Amino acid sequence: MSRRSRWLVAVVGLSLVVPLLPVTSAVAQEHTVTAAPDQPGGVRTIPDWRMQTSRSVSGGGDVISRPGFTDVNWLKVPARSTVMAGLIANRKYPDLNYSTNMKQVNAADFAVPWWYRKGFTADPVPGRHTFLKLNGGVLARGEVWLNGTKIAGTDKVIGAYPIREFDVTNLIRKGDNAIALRADSVDPQRDLTIHFIDWAQFPPDRNQGIFRDVTLASSGAVSLRNLRVDSDLPLPSMASADVTVKVDARNNTDKPQTTEVSGTVDGRAFKQQISLSAKQTRTAAFTLKLDKPRVWWPFQMGEQPLYEASVAATVGGAASDTARTTFGIREIDSKLIQGGRQFFVNGQPFLVRGGGWASDLFLRTDLRKIEDQLKLTKAMGMNTIRLEGKPENDELYDMADRMGIMLLTGWECCSKWESYDTFTAEDNRVAGESAESEARRIRNHPSMIGFLIGSDFAPPAAQEKIYLDALKRAEWNLPIISSAKALSSPQLGSPGMKMEGPYWWVPPNYWYNKQKGGASGFASEIGPGPTIPELDSMRKFLPPNEIDALRDYNAKHYHLAPSDTFSKLSFWGTALDGRYGKPTSTEDLVRKAQLANYEVNRAQLEAFGRNFSDADRPSTGVIYWMLNSAWPTLYWNLIDHNLATGGSYFGAKTALRPLHVQYSYDDNSLAVVNTGLRDTTGLTVQATVFNLDGTQKADVSQPVTAKANASVRTGTLPKPSGLSSTYFVRLLLKDASGKVVDRNVYWLSTKADKLNYADSTWYHTPQTEYADLKGLNDLPQGSVTATTAGNKVTITNNGAKVAFFVRASLRAGAGGPEVHPTTWSDNYVTLWPGESTTLTAEYRASDLGGKTPHFQVSGHNVPKVEVR
């Protein structure tokens, strides 16, 4: 992100709330039931660790890794646990999400190495081999010891992503064993690590420690590694597919071995005899033709069937090793269209409308929360996630495969990763190992769409070659892109992407102009900045005085960003005042923030949808910056850290409906966007214009056919005389029977927002004039009734005035806290007299805490109603 200069913020504060306990040799070592795998092909994950600062430990790895060493008073931490994650799990600090509590953490605690230790039992069998595997680096670098012997030092245990495997057969003992890992301190400007730049306040340990599984694996004389599957569809036909399965057979011994490698795909069996010399690795390859394959599609285009490939190796008729993987049959390609990168899935143009992913700030793996976020993403209609420098653990990819959400991976900006001129020979090696390891790990996932080897800077020739060679070794067969910015690299050429901002507030009409970040080409990361949550969510991480302080647009806010550029609400607040009127209270600010967030996020994604079919500089993709939050923040998210969904989310959800009617802020045109692969005929667009007082000023209807995977223009919105300065537009898309299949309501102004492109910065284009939406403050009070049936609430406008921006929320008991997450079919709806709508809420009953579910309904001009 060129939006960010290279700077670091020191975290200085108090010592740990609870002092770390020293090791006490008088206490016996604590044992847990952890054993090395005892069958060929078996894999055991180290389930948890004991963790301690090196300041409290006497001796090095040769002592700590011995089975008799005492670790009872060390902290017990999860299997995947950075130092901060381990300390948080042991409640060493107050809630670090809340207020400025994270300032209390003393950064000096992480200037020294930390040790991880685990005891386990084993029962070695002659001829059986045991392997210790790091499924990603120890941050930033460290050592690995087993039973008093050093397995690897900082020359090998380095970097966030290189996968390491060590044959520890000769070190494993019958009975008690112990492993120790040392994690050294982290400097994002020195190390190829994981850094959060300006996405949130920095984790005080800079993510020092372990963030992926450490495993023990067992096999016989021959091990199977790197199982990969490729499929080939003879497009445009999908009547058959060629599936190629490859696996590396490795001889672990000093003697020649003959192995039989066999396997199955979709009930089809295959096998092959392979002769291996001492320590040799050879690849076994099998190609099968599948008739009538079940083809994998992104969720808005089709189904997501998955296949499984399983392989096994035998030596002398005895089992030696096994491996398995899932995969999907699909084709991914891309090319440049008028300078913009267009992706294709199974031969069909694929308009990327996605968001930037934020891993947990402390790199914790909460599978339920990850799944919740992906479900909310899919329910919103967002089809792609960009992983910038935060490649997640395997489970996220598995979930994306099942849900049909595309993933675009790559390295991060603004840290060592793009300080190419400082790369040493070691950095070059680690960069290549990182790319190869990640590509091998994720290449079988049908949800993958491409690999960005640069973010804000394309790598120069030397690093580009390193990455391309690494990806070739991994047999990466998807698009490789030089940069997320319009910067070419020597071999790959133009990336077909742009990174011209904005990252902060712009009005809705900005997105329709094809200047800067407007809807043309592929915008790799853009968004309108602040996303103030509803009060229920905000109160979970901010005290009342900090919430009230949001009305001061010149004040710095800890939960905005650590950079000066994004630490104040500044011109977001100026625009809010200019367009909606200065908030009269904190509640009024939050209410108006939802309006502003809804309209601008809807406009961003609608504009890219509309321009997808343009003949001149079409839009080919957009990544909203960002999708979720690493830590509670007041900006850059559609789904907040508490899994709450406010105006930002539902504005985007409206824009991303699969068959959608929309208004254009630039030329007053109407359009229908269809993300499906079939034309939809017999449709009618009805556009109605209302004054604020509810008076109907115009009503027109026009037939339209929604073209498959495309957008079509369908006339313009009437401009009747006598409009109030703020007015409403209701768009209805009806099928041949008259049923409404899409509904969209706008609040517009007779005065346009005006932008000054000449004074644009990399993160913002300033406004010179503001739309007048202040009339919304004078709406007469509306009235609604609400009834429930199971998880549905039906809202009816039973009054004589418009009921504007009506929101439903699910509560745990009458007047209780809001339940997060709740997946709503729609929300923030506007109803005219006599209209009604039914909203569906999906939630976990367990999140009610034993309370009875209640629905609360309120609106911009509607009193609160609560029903059971």
Side-chain angles (χ1 to χ4, degrees):
M1 307 165 199
S2 56
R3 56 200 181 276
R4 304 177 276 231
S5 57
R6 291 172 182 156
W7 43 259
L8 292 173
V9 176
V11 180
V12 180
L14 304 176
S15 298
L16 298 177
V17 173
V18 179
L20 294 177
L21 297 173
V23 174
T24 306
S25 58
V27 182
Q29 179 187 6
E30 179 182 5
H31 284 285
T32 58
V33 182
T34 304
D38 56 3
Q39 296 295 325
V43 178
R44 294 281 175 84
T45 299
I46 303 296
D48 52 61
W49 297 91
R50 300 299 182 272
M51 185 185 79
Q52 184 62 281
T53 174
S54 60
R55 288 196 177 109
S56 299
V57 180
S58 298
D62 57 330
V63 175
I64 297 169
S65 67
R66 294 186 183 276
F69 183 82
T70 302
D71 63 8
V72 169
N73 290 331
W74 288 29
L75 300 175
K76 183 177 179 180
V77 301
R80 306 170 186 173
S81 181
T82 64
V83 176
M84 276 300 301
L87 294 170
I88 293 169
N90 281 272
R91 300 182 180 180
K92 296 301 180 182
Y93 308 107
D95 180 5
L96 296 186
N97 290 335
Y98 192 74
S99 187
T100 60
N101 285 348
M102 198 153 62
K103 289 184 177 181
Q104 297 185 30
V105 180
N106 187 352
D109 292 335
F110 314 106
V112 300
W114 283 69
W115 282 98
Y116 293 78
R117 186 180 185 279
K118 185 64 178 179
F120 64 95
T121 62
D123 188 10
V125 175
R128 189 78 48 76
H129 292 256
T130 301
F131 303 92
L132 176 65
K133 185 175 182 181
L134 305 180
N135 291 281
V138 176
L139 302 177
R141 63 174 74 208
E143 298 176 349
V144 181
W145 295 74
L146 179 64
N147 292 339
T149 299
K150 186 178 182 179
I151 298 172
T154 55
D155 59 329
K156 283 283 187 71
V157 184
I158 179 174
Y161 304 113
I163 295 173
R164 306 292 187 193
E165 185 178 291
F166 309 100
D167 190 337
V168 295
T169 304
N170 295 331
L171 296 177
I172 295 290
R173 305 172 181 175
K174 183 177 179 62
D176 291 339
N177 296 260
I179 178 177
L181 281 74
R182 192 190 78 194
D184 292 352
S185 60
V186 177
D187 181 350
Q189 304 307 318
R190 177 196 68 202
D191 305 311
L192 292 172
T193 184
I194 296 175
H195 188 36
F196 281 87
I197 324 297
D198 50 11
W199 300 2
Q201 297 292 341
F202 299 143
D205 68 340
R206 299 299 193 268
N207 298 128
Q208 179 180 7
I210 300 171
F211 77 107
R212 285 190 178 158
D213 288 338
V214 177
T215 57
L216 291 166
S218 176
S219 76
V222 174
S223 295
L224 297 176
R225 294 294 184 266
N226 189 26
L227 175 60
R228 61 265 195 204
V229 183
D230 293 317
S231 62
D232 182 23
L233 284 167
L235 298 173
S237 173
M238 298 184 190
S240 66
D242 290 332
V243 174
T244 300
V245 180
K246 294 182 181 179
V247 67
D248 297 337
R250 183 185 66 203
N251 183 356
N252 301 313
T253 74
D254 295 322
K255 299 178 181 180
Q257 301 286 344
T258 297
T259 181
E260 181 177 271
V261 178
S262 61
T264 61
V265 169
D266 199 36
R268 300 280 299 278
F270 49 82
K271 63 182 178 180
Q272 181 179 337
Q273 293 280 335
I274 298 179
S275 296
L276 299 167
S277 57
K279 300 295 184 180
Q280 184 185 20
T281 298
R282 289 182 59 193
T283 299
F286 312 88
T287 298
L288 309 170
K289 182 177 287 292
L290 299 183
D291 292 325
K292 298 180 180 179
R294 304 184 299 278
V295 177
W296 190 97
W297 291 92
F299 72 87
Q300 287 181 334
M301 291 179 154
E303 301 299 320
Q304 295 80 49
L306 295 174
Y307 289 81
E308 181 179 90
S310 61
V311 292
T314 58
V315 176
S320 185
D321 204 3
T322 61
R324 68 184 65 243
T325 187
T326 57
F327 67 96
I329 295 177
R330 55 91 176 98
E331 293 280 327
I332 303 292
D333 197 3
S334 74
K335 64 180 180 181
L336 301 189
I337 297 180
Q338 298 183 46
R341 183 166 296 272
Q342 175 70 70
F343 284 96
F344 296 84
V345 180
N346 300 326
Q348 297 292 330
F350 179 68
L351 173 61
V352 169
R353 287 193 288 179
W357 179 261
S359 298
D360 177 78
L361 187 68
F362 309 111
L363 302 186
R364 295 168 294 187
T365 302
D366 183 338
L367 295 182
R368 190 170 86 165
K369 184 171 184 179
I370 291 172
E371 185 173 24
D372 285 340
Q373 290 175 104
L374 292 187
K375 286 181 176 178
L376 287 168
T377 300
K378 183 174 180 177
M380 181 171 43
M382 191 159 273
N383 60 21
T384 304
I385 290 173
R386 180 183 168 204
L387 303 160
E388 188 207 337
K390 311 291 185 294
E392 275 281 359
N393 290 303
D394 295 338
E395 294 90 349
L396 179 140
Y397 298 88
D398 292 335
M399 294 176 193
D401 290 346
R402 295 193 301 270
M403 295 185 194
I405 300 171
M406 306 306 294
L407 301 175
L408 178 62
T409 194
W411 307 130
E412 70 184 31
C413 83
C414 315
S415 63
K416 178 68 176 184
W417 284 101
E418 292 191 334
S419 298
Y420 301 116
D421 57 345
T422 70
F423 270 38
T424 63
E426 182 179 60
D427 294 327
N428 286 331
R429 174 177 62 84
V430 173
E433 291 170 345
S434 298
E436 183 175 358
S437 292
E438 277 301 297
R440 288 185 186 276
R441 185 176 71 92
I442 63 179
R443 68 177 308 283
N444 292 342
H445 291 280
S447 55
M448 296 306 307
I449 199 170
F451 201 120
L452 284 155
I453 59 172
S455 179
D456 290 23
F457 297 94
Q463 279 74 38
E464 182 193 39
K465 184 177 187 305
I466 288 168
Y467 287 134
L468 293 181
D469 289 348
L471 293 171
K472 184 177 180 180
R473 291 193 299 272
E475 300 179 29
W476 182 261
N477 61 359
L478 297 175
I480 304 171
I481 305 160
S482 62
S483 173
K485 197 174 181 179
L487 296 171
S488 299
S489 60
Q491 292 189 55
L492 294 173
S494 171
M497 293 192 171
K498 65 179 184 179
M499 188 190 290
E500 300 183 77
Y503 297 95
W504 219 235
W505 170 261
V506 289
N509 62 351
Y510 171 94
W511 302 107
Y512 294 84
N513 190 322
K514 294 185 179 182
Q515 296 185 63
K516 308 295 284 184
S520 67
F522 195 117
S524 63
E525 46 178 64
I526 52 175
T531 45
I532 306 299
E534 290 279 7
L535 280 168
D536 283 273
S537 180
M538 204 155 27
R539 285 168 179 151
K540 293 182 179 180
F541 64 91
L542 292 179
N545 64 306
E546 291 182 38
I547 296 175
D548 290 339
L550 296 178
R551 296 173 64 190
D552 182 354
Y553 305 144
N554 293 314
K556 289 188 175 182
H557 300 284
Y558 189 67
H559 284 261
L560 278 173
S563 69
D564 288 339
T565 304
F566 302 123
S567 63
K568 302 176 182 178
L569 290 174
S570 59
F571 38 75
W572 175 88
T574 303
L576 192 75
D577 290 358
R579 300 175 84 246
Y580 287 101
K582 190 173 183 62
T584 58
S585 65
T586 299
E587 289 75 13
D588 192 36
L589 180 142
V590 172
R591 181 168 54 250
K592 289 175 176 174
Q594 307 316 307
L595 289 168
N597 291 342
Y598 186 106
E599 60 164 344
V600 71
N601 288 348
R602 174 177 58 182
Q604 176 179 340
L605 295 165
E606 284 185 341
F608 277 84
R610 186 199 73 174
N611 291 358
F612 180 43
S613 296
D614 282 6
D616 177 41
R617 291 190 296 148
S619 56
T620 57
V622 58
I623 298 294
Y624 183 94
W625 205 251
M626 299 179 67
L627 171 61
N628 59 338
S629 291
W631 179 78
T633 59
L634 299 166
Y635 71 121
W636 286 356
N637 69 76
L638 295 170
I639 303 165
D640 83 5
H641 193 262
N642 297 314
L643 303 182
T645 50
S648 294
Y649 178 91
F650 286 100
K653 181 179 174 71
T654 296
L656 294 169
R657 289 173 186 151
L659 188 60
H660 180 55
V661 59
Q662 58 188 59
Y663 166 76
S664 303
Y665 281 83
D666 59 337
D667 60 9
N668 219 39
S669 67
L670 304 178
V672 175
V673 178
N674 180 8
T675 62
L677 296 182
R678 295 180 179 176
D679 291 355
T680 303
T681 60
L683 299 174
T684 301
V685 170
Q686 181 182 357
T688 311
V689 181
F690 300 89
N691 268 346
L692 275 181
D693 63 5
T695 306
Q696 182 175 304
K697 301 297 291 183
D699 184 63
V700 296
S701 295
Q702 183 166 324
V704 64
T705 293
K707 298 295 185 181
N709 196 25
S711 67
V712 294
R713 308 288 179 103
T714 176
T716 59
L717 186 72
K719 286 188 174 180
S721 61
L723 281 176
S724 50
S725 57
T726 306
Y727 63 98
F728 293 116
V729 170
R730 182 184 64 198
L731 302 181
L732 302 178
L733 183 64
K734 300 179 180 180
D735 65 16
S737 70
K739 178 183 177 182
V740 174
V741 295
D742 189 43
R743 187 178 191 276
N744 202 354
V745 174
Y746 295 82
W747 45 103
L748 302 174
S749 171
T750 55
K751 180 184 177 184
D753 291 294
K754 292 186 178 180
L755 292 140
N756 178 11
Y757 283 95
D759 287 344
S760 294
T761 64
W762 58 266
Y763 61 92
H764 176 237
T765 295
Q767 284 183 251
T768 57
E769 294 185 32
Y770 299 101
D772 182 6
L773 301 170
K774 300 181 186 69
L776 296 171
N777 298 321
D778 301 321
L779 278 175
Q781 182 170 301
S783 174
V784 299
T785 58
T787 58
T788 62
N791 65 335
K792 300 179 185 297
V793 56
T794 297
I795 304 169
T796 301
N797 184 341
N798 65 337
K801 302 296 181 181
V802 63
F804 177 57
F805 215 57
V806 179
R807 175 178 182 254
S809 60
L810 178 68
R811 305 280 164 169
E818 189 170 358
V819 177
H820 300 140
T822 300
T823 302
W824 287 96
S825 58
D826 195 9
N827 222 324
Y828 297 98
V829 295
T830 297
L831 301 172
W832 274 265
E835 288 187 326
S836 67
T837 188
T838 298
L839 309 180
T840 303
E842 296 180 6
Y843 59 95
R844 284 185 293 266
S846 59
D847 290 342
L848 292 168
K851 302 289 186 180
T852 302
H854 279 245
F855 290 96
Q856 192 176 97
V857 176
S858 60
H860 189 80
N861 65 327
V862 174
K864 187 183 301 180
V865 176
E866 187 164 313
V867 291
R868 177 175 173 177

